[in-house]
Amino acid sequence: MSDPVKTTPPIALAIAGSEASGGAGAQTDLKTFQQLGVYGCVALTCIVSMDPKKDFDHRVVGIEPQVILDQIEACVGVNPRIDAVKIGMLGSAPTIDAVDEALTTYSFKNIVLDPVLICKGQEFAEAKAVDDALRAKILPRATMTTPNLFESATLAGMDEITTVEQLKDAAKRIHDQGVPNVLAKAGPTLGTGTALDVFYDGTTLEVLETETVGDVRVHGAGCTLAAAVTAELAKGATPLEAAVTAKNVVNASIGMRGNIPFTYVWQGWYEG
């Protein structure tokens, strides 16, 4: 009996930090890709280790920019194609420069930016410089961005976001900076009784809501959402279709409990 023909699945590249607990970062990206039927490869930008002795604060060690470029080169060289790219934590201006160089070199399609702004473990001035570099060099390259409430306000130039209407305005402002598709995330924080995000593509403005699973912070939810969007775009979904599926993936994935003082995610519960 001959072996069945095995087709190559869609392929997604995560350019992101390693988060040692497995609840976020590149580890979560790979799990999400796999759960959605997409082959994942990774270029690590930094190593993040939460410190159990200090309220699980983040210890961050950056990876040399050339090593980041080498990893991306390997991913491109080994795989027949890259169908989508998810960009997560970058963490430093040199890292942003390296990723910017790679995006120029390889002309990837379907770039999803999860804009990690002002990371724990950084001084404000240092973090502000990184945020500005991310906005100037990486944001304009994104096919879609998935900022949380704080990141949406920062990118939109708003003091804060406390209502759904303000979140809609923020999504429009971010789109006006040259990002074709924006998925601005609020989750349960706006008091709607739902997990609420806003999608905007310049024409379509959709408020996406799912049932809430708790009302507090969930570790890795943002990474899961952006990775699910990336996987769905790699499979050929439209940005809005990808956003809807991604919200369902996150909703199904919440519920792991460990020693950190908040729940985290496991993608294995999702059934598409």
Side-chain angles (χ1 to χ4, degrees), residues 256-268:
M256 282 284 285
R257 292 189 178 275
N259 294 323
I260 54 176
F262 33 79
T263 57
Y264 52 107
V265 292
W266 182 59
Q267 294 72 23

Side-chain angles (χ1 to χ4, degrees), residues 231-243:
E232 290 301 299
L233 291 178
K235 291 157 63 175
T238 67
L240 180 55
E241 291 169 342

Side-chain angles (χ1 to χ4, degrees), residues 195-197 208-210 225 242-252:
L196 183 148
D197 303 332
L208 306 178
E209 297 179 89
T210 57
L225 185 99
V244 170
T245 297
K247 281 191 65 62
N248 291 331
V249 171
V250 172
N251 187 268

Side-chain angles (χ1 to χ4, degrees), residues 90-128:
L90 299 180
S92 73
T95 296
I96 289 171
D97 288 342
V99 172
D100 181 50
E101 179 182 337
L103 297 180
T104 299
T105 299
Y106 298 112
S107 300
F108 295 119
K109 61 180 181 180
N110 294 324
I111 297 171
V112 178
L113 174 63
D114 189 16
V116 180
L117 301 182
I118 306 191
C119 180
K120 292 180 181 179
Q122 289 181 315
E123 295 296 330
F124 177 79
E126 176 189 358
K128 177 68 163 54

Side-chain angles (χ1 to χ4, degrees), residues 12-18 22-36 38-44 86-89 114 220 222-228 230-231 267:
L13 164 63
I15 303 173
S18 166
Q27 287 86 337
T28 284
D29 294 342
L30 287 177
K31 294 176 201 176
T32 305
F33 294 163
Q34 184 74 17
Q35 185 68 17
L36 292 172
V38 172
Y39 180 90
C41 54
V42 171
L44 294 179
K86 184 241 176 179
I87 300 175
M89 182 177 176
D114 189 16
C223 298
T224 302
L225 185 99
T230 306
Q267 294 72 23

Side-chain angles (χ1 to χ4, degrees), residues 10-102:
I11 298 172
L13 164 63
I15 303 173
S18 166
E19 200 282 272
S21 79
Q27 287 86 337
T28 284
D29 294 342
L30 287 177
K31 294 176 201 176
T32 305
F33 294 163
Q34 184 74 17
Q35 185 68 17
L36 292 172
V38 172
Y39 180 90
C41 54
V42 171
L44 294 179
T45 58
C46 58
I47 309 295
V48 179
S49 307
M50 290 188 288
D51 187 349
K53 300 183 297 297
K54 295 183 178 179
D55 196 29
F56 297 95
D57 198 5
H58 290 50
R59 298 172 291 197
V60 182
V61 178
I63 291 175
E64 289 293 326
Q66 186 57 53
V67 177
I68 297 170
L69 288 170
D70 292 346
Q71 293 176 87
I72 297 172
E73 180 184 46
C75 291
V76 173
V78 168
N79 293 299
R81 65 184 184 278
I82 302 293
D83 297 299
V85 177
K86 184 241 176 179
I87 300 175
M89 182 177 176
L90 299 180
S92 73
T95 296
I96 289 171
D97 288 342
V99 172
D100 181 50
E101 179 182 337

